[in-house]
Amino acid sequence: PTRAPPVVTGGGFVGWAPLYALPTESHALERKLRAGIGGAGHDDDSELFVIVGDLLRESPAPPALRKALWEVAARVPGVTLVGAVKDSMGRAGVAVERDYLRYILDPQDGRLLEEGVPGGAAFRGTYLEQGPADRAPAPTESLPQLKPK
């Protein structure tokens, strides 16, 4: 028998419909995400932690899915609960980390506030706003307009 392709593949894309079809029970969600790893990443546990961050960062995950994603992240072997922290903008959050990657979440709604290397020296992404947009941001000197060649 043939299996249906997984919703998430290592380095793959999740469309709107599959995103909203993901299970919100964390154990079922973990099984679904792990089934889609397909050898991507350093190892399955590392890739699962990255996928959680990807889904929180790059999707309008509904609250029940965000909650399940954080529960999945908390169970990944090697994840440490850092606890209460402030992100680089001074917002209160709760941090978890694994190896070289830290996620800071908003404890009120589970949104990803910030991610990066602990200490922020090598890499840090801070998310001030998340949601659909009607148009791209206007170019600035720090964000030049890209033009096709």
Side-chain angles (χ1 to χ4, degrees):
T2 60
R3 267 183 6 164
V7 172
V8 177
T9 60
F13 172 75
V14 177
W16 289 96
L19 174 73
Y20 287 110
L22 286 172
T24 55
E25 191 285 315
S26 67
H27 289 90
L29 177 61
E30 181 177 350
R31 285 190 298 275
K32 183 81 161 178
L33 296 176
R34 282 188 181 277
I37 289 173
H42 178 69
D43 59 66
D44 287 359
D45 292 336
S46 296
E47 186 64 14
L48 180 61
F49 194 64
V50 168
I51 289 170
V52 166
D54 290 348
L55 287 169
L56 289 166
R57 174 188 345 93
E58 298 177 13
S59 77
L65 180 56
R66 286 194 305 261
K67 179 180 184 293
L69 286 164
W70 285 114
E71 290 171 0
V72 168
R75 286 194 303 269
V76 173
V79 167
T80 301
L81 172 63
V82 176
V85 298
K86 292 198 183 282
D87 72 2
S88 61
M89 299 301 295
R91 299 175 295 178
V94 175
V96 296
E97 62 186 46
R98 184 176 195 279
D99 298 331
Y100 59 90
L101 186 57
R102 175 183 281 191
Y103 297 140
I104 301 175
L105 74 119
D106 182 327
Q108 299 300 313
D109 62 12
R111 284 180 307 114
L112 184 62
L113 298 176
E114 190 167 275
E115 67 178 318
V117 174
F123 157 76
R124 179 182 68 221
T126 304
Y127 308 103
L128 304 177
E129 201 174 315
Q130 184 180 25
D134 294 330
R135 62 191 180 305
T140 66
E141 290 195 30
S142 63
L143 181 65
Q145 180 68 37
L146 298 176
K147 296 180 183 179
K149 292 183 179 187

